[in-house]
Amino acid sequence: MISQTDDDIRLTEETDIPVIPVQPYHRPHVLQQVRGPLSPQLIELNDDTVIVGRSSEAQIRVPSSALSRTHMRIERYQGGYRAIDLDSSNGVYLNQIRINSAVLRDGDTIQLGNAVFIYHEGK
């Protein structure tokens, strides 16, 4: 039988510990271009809407004839992002499936023509 001493009891008593406020660090959502013109590169998604295409007007420009001028829109959606095909000629493929629109999840692969991106959720 183990007996409890006064020293053991004092070690488990509550003490006043100050609570220190900490600001959580949030990483931005990111597109990592792993294939295609201008790859490799990391692109932070900070705006509510981002256009991807070969046009010089696109926020994410991919100079490739395999992409439409305005190929895809990425827009903020429920704390994350979703991808929307803008009636592109060659389509938008999410994890090798052609989509019109889909919510993006961490690790998703997005292919536009000969450009491939991996989506990373911010935390």
Side-chain angles (χ1 to χ4, degrees):
M1 176 180 209
I2 299 174
S3 64
Q4 202 170 32
T5 66
D6 288 339
D7 287 337
D8 292 334
I9 294 171
R10 270 187 247 119
L11 290 176
T12 60
E13 290 177 2
E14 287 188 32
T15 58
D16 289 332
I17 298 173
V19 176
I20 301 168
V22 176
Q23 291 290 355
Y25 174 73
H26 295 285
R27 292 186 329 223
H29 298 263
V30 173
L31 275 184
Q32 176 186 9
Q33 186 178 1
V34 294
R35 289 256 202 287
L38 306 179
S39 69
Q41 65 174 325
L42 284 177
I43 304 145
E44 289 186 8
L45 299 174
N46 297 314
D47 297 331
D48 290 338
T49 302
V50 177
I51 301 297
V52 182
R54 73 171 195 267
S55 169
S56 60
E57 311 268 320
Q59 287 85 7
I60 299 175
R61 185 169 183 271
V62 180
S64 169
S65 60
L67 271 73
S68 298
R69 287 179 293 134
T70 56
H71 199 102
M72 173 181 70
R73 181 173 67 237
I74 297 177
E75 63 183 30
R76 199 176 301 273
Y77 181 76
Q78 296 182 351
Y81 282 87
R82 67 179 171 180
I84 300 165
D85 186 352
L86 297 176
D87 296 323
S88 63
S89 298
N90 293 323
V92 173
Y93 290 82
L94 180 65
N95 301 323
Q96 301 177 341
I97 298 170
R98 190 168 184 162
I99 57 125
N100 289 316
S101 160
V103 175
L104 299 175
R105 301 286 179 231
D106 193 46
D108 280 347
T109 300
I110 305 163
Q111 183 170 348
L112 315 172
N114 61 345
V116 178
F117 300 87
I118 300 172
Y119 173 74
H120 299 285
E121 289 182 350
K123 308 258 184 203

